[in-house]
Amino acid sequence: MRRIGESVGRTAAGAPKYRIDNVRAIIRHDLPPSLVVFLVALPLSLGIAIASDAPVLAGLIAAIVGGIVAGCIGGSPLQVSGPAAGLTVVVADLVTKFGWGITCLITTIAGAVQVLLGLSRVARAALAISPVVVHAMLAGIGLTIALQQTHVVLGGKSKSSAWDNVIGLPGQIIGAHRHGVVLGVAVIAILIAWRWVPAPVARVPGPLVAIVAVTVASVMFRFDVSRIELEGSVIDALQLPTLPRGGWGAAAMGVLTVALITSVQSLLTAVSIDRMHSGARTDFDRELVGQGVANMASGALGGLPISGVIVRSAANVNAGARTRASTIMHGVWILLFTIPFVGLVEQIPTAALAGLLIVVGMQLLKPAHIETALRNGDIAVYVVTAVGVVFLNLLHGVMIGLALAIALTGWRVVRAKVEAKPIGDQWRVTVEGACTFLALPRLTRVLASVPERCNVTVELLVTYLDHAARQAIGDWQRQYLATGGTVRIVPESFGDEAGSGADRPPLSLVEAVPATKRR
């Protein structure tokens, strides 16, 4: 008993010092990054709300909830959640169909779906979606945002569809509002130039610099431009979800769309952030639960849908954050800002936020993703998905992309490369790709074309060889040996499984070739 008491006493005595050390570490390592993320998130949240045709303050509500709720519960300690540019197209469509109150209900129910998925421990299944489809989806969303916000920069309003935005662009250019164009182009120029500023200066977030500089210039020179209009404070913007009077099927589809996109984007962002630091890894199921609870809270309070955001998360990691305290504090700073300083937001020109969103949208179109699609032969999937997202809608574009990706994979399996050609007085049969039962017609036809009584080398350069294909090769091998020919199979491991007992070919006829000598 004495030992137990002494142990408890030491723990109790050491606890305050442990807590003090924790507080000091948070102040040193997590407080500065939280301020950086706050400065990045503030203008982005406002711009995303405007692009989504939602109340402007709904973006700030989502940023606050994403930082505090998702930061506390989520499974990715350094990921920052909030309103995401990738959801603007979806939310704008929902607002047009149902209105803002029902959109909040859809967000809340989508969060509940995410919680159920997280509790079911199926979070990693969302990562099974082909990356090229996800990349193309983001590219399509980015192009849609850029098209919409170009009209805003030129002094007009974005159209209801991408095609209308395209055909209406020449007329919008002719009637462009000069002051708005100057401000929007200035924001774009500052954000592009900010990549090359010295490292000490680059610690200040580029979006903040661009928006503040352009806003100050517009006030000083008294530019006649439209500015953000707020209806009261964040407290006044709180709104309870409302039930739809009809169209339950479309609302259910909206729930599934929001739940799927927010889940996949959050999980993929978490994977990307894990690659940027050496700290604790993401618990994907917990992250999905955290995102779900955050969306339930955001929807219930009148905020935008929430997901993990790569721009804010990368800023958090690059600024040196070590724990989830940084993510939580950034939400607190936004909350504190919106109470006394929300009037400053009304000085920001809408053209300035539109310029910011054009840059954010184009950043979703990454050249590296296009190069990867070209290298892997998936460029058709990429283009079709992106075009479908832009000119149809996000759900249809993604579904078409997934269907094409599955069809292309099946075609590659069926069209496994199998060829036989003479080399001197010998024959070489080469099998490449994924060779399954679907490739059996071509495989058996090529093997049957090899002349009898020859020296044959079968080279298996396959990524996958199923039992049916393996057995077909083994049967042909035994039959060919019976005719007086010889068969050499690369690699040797195939020969160990080609037959068994009396059916197995003599080991002397199955030779191993070192990996360095394989073609």
Side-chain angles (χ1 to χ4, degrees), residues 219-258:
V219 173
M220 289 180 58
F221 295 104
R222 298 183 179 180
F223 280 8
D224 181 20
V225 292
S226 61
R227 302 179 187 273
I228 294 177
E229 297 180 1
L230 300 178
E231 297 178 359
S233 65
V234 171
I235 304 299
D236 299 325
L238 298 179
Q239 176 177 336
L240 294 176
T242 57
L243 291 172
R245 297 182 179 179
W248 288 96
M253 186 60 67
V255 168
L256 294 177
T257 302
V258 172

Side-chain angles (χ1 to χ4, degrees), residues 56-145:
V56 176
L57 291 174
L60 296 181
I61 293 173
I64 294 168
V65 173
I68 297 175
V69 177
C72 289
I73 303 176
S76 180
L78 300 185
Q79 175 164 267
V80 182
S81 301
L87 291 166
T88 55
V89 178
V90 176
V91 176
D93 183 57
L94 293 176
V95 172
T96 301
K97 288 181 179 178
F98 302 106
W100 179 239
I102 298 175
T103 300
C104 291
L105 176 66
I106 290 173
T107 301
T108 304
I109 300 176
V113 172
Q114 288 182 287
V115 171
L116 292 176
L117 292 175
L119 294 176
S120 301
R121 308 189 68 82
V122 297
R124 288 186 179 272
L127 302 179
I129 296 177
S130 174
V132 68
V133 175
V134 176
H135 296 159
M137 177 193 74
L138 294 175
I141 291 172
L143 289 173
T144 302
I145 294 172

Side-chain angles (χ1 to χ4, degrees), residues 427-485:
W427 276 75
R428 178 181 294 273
V429 178
T430 304
V431 183
E432 298 183 53
C435 190
T436 68
F437 66 94
L438 297 174
L440 287 182
R442 179 174 177 80
L443 175 64
T444 55
R445 183 172 64 253
V446 171
L447 291 175
S449 67
V450 178
E452 296 181 350
R453 300 181 182 86
C454 294
N455 296 324
V456 183
T457 298
V458 179
E459 194 169 17
L460 301 178
L461 305 175
V462 292
T463 56
Y464 176 71
L465 187 71
D466 74 354
H467 177 74
R470 183 184 297 275
Q471 182 173 342
I473 296 173
D475 291 344
W476 172 84
Q477 179 189 18
R478 287 189 292 273
Q479 181 181 2
Y480 197 81
L481 292 173
T483 65

Side-chain angles (χ1 to χ4, degrees), residues 19-91:
R19 287 196 294 268
I20 291 173
D21 290 343
N22 274 354
V23 171
R24 288 175 177 172
I26 289 173
I27 293 175
R28 179 181 179 184
H29 298 294
D30 293 316
L31 178 59
S34 73
L35 294 172
V36 172
V37 178
F38 155 67
L39 296 175
V40 172
L42 185 63
L44 284 177
S45 299
L46 295 171
I48 290 168
I50 293 174
S52 302
D53 291 335
V56 176
L57 291 174
L60 296 181
I61 293 173
I64 294 168
V65 173
I68 297 175
V69 177
C72 289
I73 303 176
S76 180
L78 300 185
Q79 175 164 267
V80 182
S81 301
L87 291 166
T88 55
V89 178
V90 176
V91 176

Side-chain angles (χ1 to χ4, degrees), residues 360-451:
V360 171
M362 295 311 297
Q363 286 176 342
L364 295 177
L365 182 64
K366 297 182 182 296
H369 293 163
I370 299 176
E371 293 174 4
T372 301
L374 282 169
R375 185 170 59 251
N376 296 333
D378 293 326
I379 191 62
V381 177
Y382 187 97
V383 172
V384 169
T385 303
V387 171
V389 169
V390 172
F391 291 104
L392 297 177
N393 58 53
L394 190 141
L395 183 60
H396 290 164
V398 170
M399 291 297 102
I400 292 172
L402 286 174
L404 182 58
I406 294 171
L408 185 60
T409 300
W411 175 255
R412 287 170 177 166
V413 171
V414 174
R415 297 293 298 177
K417 185 178 180 181
V418 184
E419 61 179 8
K421 57 182 179 181
I423 301 178
D425 58 349
Q426 298 183 352
W427 276 75
R428 178 181 294 273
V429 178
T430 304
V431 183
E432 298 183 53
C435 190
T436 68
F437 66 94
L438 297 174
L440 287 182
R442 179 174 177 80
L443 175 64
T444 55
R445 183 172 64 253
V446 171
L447 291 175
S449 67
V450 178

